[in-house]
Amino acid sequence: VNLLLLEPGELQPDGRARLADGRATHLRTVLKVAPGHQLRAGVLDGPLGVATVESNEGDAVDLRCAFEPAAPPAPRVDLLLALPRPKVMRRLWAQLAALGVGRVVLTNAARVERHYFDTHVLTPACYRPLLVEGLQQARDTRLPRVTVHRQFRILVEDELDGLVARGVRLVAHPGAGPRPAEALAGGRAARVLLAIGPEGGWNDFELRLLHERGFGAVGIGARTLRSDTACVALLALVHDALRTCD
Amino acid sequence: VNLLLLEPGELQPDGRARLADGRATHLRTVLKVAPGHQLRAGVLDGPLGVATVESNEGDAVDLRCAFEPAAPPAPRVDLLLALPRPKVMRRLWAQLAALGVGRVVLTNAARVERHYFDTHVLTPACYRPLLVEGLQQARDTRLPRVTVHRQFRILVEDELDGLVARGVRLVAHPGAGPRPAEALAGGRAARVLLAIGPEGGWNDFELRLLHERGFGAVGIGARTLRSDTACVALLALVHDALRTCD
């Protein structure tokens, strides 16, 4: 683990925390911590800091934490994603959190199969631990917000403006459009909302509706990628382009 | 399937081919092809083209293919990768082929566990079908070449120059180095060899040896990524940078 993440409720007002779950087991058996051992820690949606082991007797590990005054900034990219197959979606959660996504908006589309929505992969009990795993990997505390939408048109026409903060809107479509760096060049974009379609692509109606709602096309070349590969590739390119805008 | 891939030996001199395996089943039951139906086809390491269904009686499907005069160009990026956990490596094969990699050079490193090399994930029987799956996804015919090396120093000092064509050499390390686009700016690089370390990073000896052998550092920001996420992100960034060099 690159970062030990604590829930806000686990922390005493004086910065102490007692762990007695899998994290404690990991600290004792893998990291073999002793009193005085220091490790990177963070509070979910809160600041990063350092945890010092005070004692590790019995099953519990007692920590005293010192945190930075403020939480790290939230990721500047939000994702509007046509729901992929459950197996692919399951693999994506930790990777999305690791790459940095403020909000994950999962949507139906013409080429999404309805039964994908019935999977337990869309329950917080399944995806929250995977998101936390991704944050620990990337040393971030900002948990992506997740919403699931079964009606594409209602989502895009009525709900999207309220869900995501104003910013540049991009829609990825195989082959078409400028590179993300070109689409964002010179704009000093504060935030980006990136839309990624289903395996078969968005259909014409969906593309038109997205364009009407301000989404500009981006492409990453001629190769058609699986949803999870496309998400990781495009998020890397958009984050990279945003870094050069600063 | 975005592309039907044939082995060179399956093709008659007149462009006919008879399929009787899983691909035939897919054509008959999923695509429900009838005589006259046309689909994108390709020959492994050969040209792209079009296959026309001549008959689909019984278990077999007979095709007549017409191919372009030349094979598509080979991907311009090679990968030197410290062997990740077998589970992660298994997930990577199709994604590497889909993103486009000329050669995959898998290596040991100080932070790679020895038993990773004993996995069946490193046998052609396991990885070749996964590479073909990735090529079909991305509509490419160029099968990545794979070699496995248990001795990092011998690989880098004695073997690497013979394995990969001359080109720009980049080594990714968390946090350090310019962005791939900066590292490749203005160079008109013909080929790139990208080195990606193990989860815990390269150690100092390995980094020094790579630098001595011409690898320049690249980074993708402060976030530490899992091997598979890092590979997809970095390959996307390097391919994107190469496109702008053209």
Side-chain angles (χ1 to χ4, degrees):
Chain A
V1 189
N2 298 321
L3 176 75
L4 174 71
L5 270 175
L6 304 171
E7 302 280 345
E10 290 179 311
L11 212 61
Q12 305 301 318
D14 64 356
R16 284 200 164 83
R18 159 164 288 199
L19 304 182
D21 59 4
R23 292 167 297 174
T25 312
H26 182 82
L27 293 179
R28 281 186 291 107
T29 61
V30 179
L31 299 184
K32 300 186 196 300
V33 297
H37 190 112
Q38 294 198 316
L39 41 129
R40 288 174 211 251
V43 184
L44 269 171
D45 285 318
L48 293 163
V50 174
T52 306
V53 175
E54 293 209 311
S55 75
N56 62 342
E57 288 160 33
D59 288 339
V61 174
D62 288 300
L63 304 167
R64 178 189 287 273
C65 306
F67 291 108
E68 293 168 10
R76 291 160 63 186
V77 183
D78 300 304
L79 183 66
L80 170 62
L81 176 64
L83 184 62
R85 281 178 290 142
K87 187 177 147 186
V88 172
M89 188 65 233
R90 193 179 192 295
R91 270 203 297 256
L92 257 178
W93 288 119
Q95 299 191 88
L96 296 182
L99 288 159
V101 175
R103 189 174 267 283
V104 182
V105 181
L106 294 169
T107 180
N108 196 14
R111 293 182 189 131
V112 169
E113 296 195 34
R114 287 273 162 174
H115 68 86
Y116 291 178
F117 285 89
D118 303 328
T119 171
H120 77 287
V121 171
L122 299 185
T123 61
C126 176
Y127 67 68
R128 196 173 189 278
L130 296 168
L131 292 175
V132 169
E133 180 189 318
L135 293 179
Q136 291 181 326
Q137 169 78 45
R139 297 201 186 102
D140 191 9
T141 68
R142 295 289 200 161
L143 198 67
R145 267 54 180 154
V146 178
T147 52
V148 181
H149 305 264
R150 285 170 179 256
Q151 295 186 280
F152 175 82
R153 183 177 189 157
I154 289 175
L155 166 66
V156 175
E157 289 192 338
D158 303 335
E159 299 173 341
L160 206 50
D161 291 345
L163 273 176
V164 297
R166 280 207 162 280
V168 175
R169 293 177 169 190
L170 302 175
V171 54
H173 200 60
R179 300 161 46 241
E182 290 161 0
L184 293 170
R188 298 193 136 266
R191 296 197 66 80
V192 171
L193 172 59
L194 173 67
I196 299 179
E199 300 274 314
W202 302 105
N203 73 12
D204 288 344
F205 165 78
E206 290 158 353
L207 274 180
R208 203 163 55 238
L209 194 59
L210 288 169
H211 287 313
E212 283 170 17
R213 307 303 292 201
F215 285 81
V218 283
I220 49 169
R223 304 174 88 92
T224 308
L225 301 174
R226 216 171 54 196
S227 278
D228 54 339
T229 314
C231 279
V232 174
L234 279 157
L235 285 172
L237 290 166
V238 169
H239 273 297
D240 187 65
L242 282 175
R243 261 194 292 278
T244 62
C245 293
D246 292 335
Chain B
V1 189
N2 297 322
L3 177 74
L4 175 71
L5 269 176
L6 304 171
E7 301 282 345
E10 290 178 312
L11 213 62
Q12 305 299 320
D14 64 356
R16 283 201 166 83
R18 160 164 289 202
L19 303 183
D21 58 3
R23 291 167 298 174
T25 313
H26 182 82
L27 293 177
R28 282 186 291 104
T29 60
V30 179
L31 299 183
K32 299 184 194 306
V33 298
H37 189 113
Q38 293 197 316
L39 42 129
R40 288 175 212 250
V43 184
L44 268 171
D45 285 319
L48 293 162
V50 173
T52 306
V53 175
E54 293 208 313
S55 76
N56 60 346
E57 288 160 34
D59 288 339
V61 174
D62 287 301
L63 304 168
R64 179 189 285 272
C65 306
F67 291 109
E68 295 169 9
R76 291 161 61 190
V77 182
D78 299 305
L79 184 63
L80 169 62
L81 176 63
L83 184 61
R85 281 176 291 144
K87 188 178 148 187
V88 172
M89 189 65 234
R90 192 179 193 294
R91 270 202 299 256
L92 257 179
W93 289 119
Q95 299 191 89
L96 296 181
L99 288 159
V101 175
R103 188 174 269 281
V104 181
V105 181
L106 294 170
T107 180
N108 194 15
R111 294 186 187 129
V112 169
E113 297 194 31
R114 289 270 162 175
H115 69 87
Y116 291 178
F117 285 88
D118 304 328
T119 173
H120 76 288
V121 170
L122 299 186
T123 61
C126 175
Y127 67 69
R128 196 173 189 279
L130 297 170
L131 292 175
V132 169
E133 180 190 316
L135 293 179
Q136 291 181 326
Q137 168 77 44
R139 295 200 186 101
D140 191 9
T141 68
R142 295 289 199 160
L143 198 66
R145 268 52 180 155
V146 178
T147 51
V148 180
H149 306 263
R150 286 169 179 255
Q151 295 184 279
F152 175 81
R153 184 176 187 154
I154 290 174
L155 167 65
V156 176
E157 289 192 339
D158 303 336
E159 300 173 340
L160 205 49
D161 291 345
L163 273 175
V164 296
R166 278 207 165 280
V168 175
R169 294 178 167 189
L170 302 175
V171 53
H173 201 62
R179 299 160 46 239
E182 291 162 358
L184 294 169
R188 295 191 138 271
R191 296 198 65 80
V192 171
L193 171 59
L194 173 65
I196 300 180
E199 300 274 315
W202 303 105
N203 72 12
D204 289 343
F205 166 78
E206 290 158 354
L207 274 180
R208 203 164 52 238
L209 194 59
L210 289 169
H211 287 313
E212 281 170 18
R213 307 304 291 199
F215 285 81
V218 284
I220 51 168
R223 305 175 87 94
T224 309
L225 301 174
R226 218 171 53 195
S227 277
D228 55 339
T229 314
C231 280
V232 174
L234 278 157
L235 285 172
L237 290 166
V238 168
H239 274 297
D240 186 66
L242 283 175
R243 261 194 292 278
T244 63
C245 294
D246 292 335

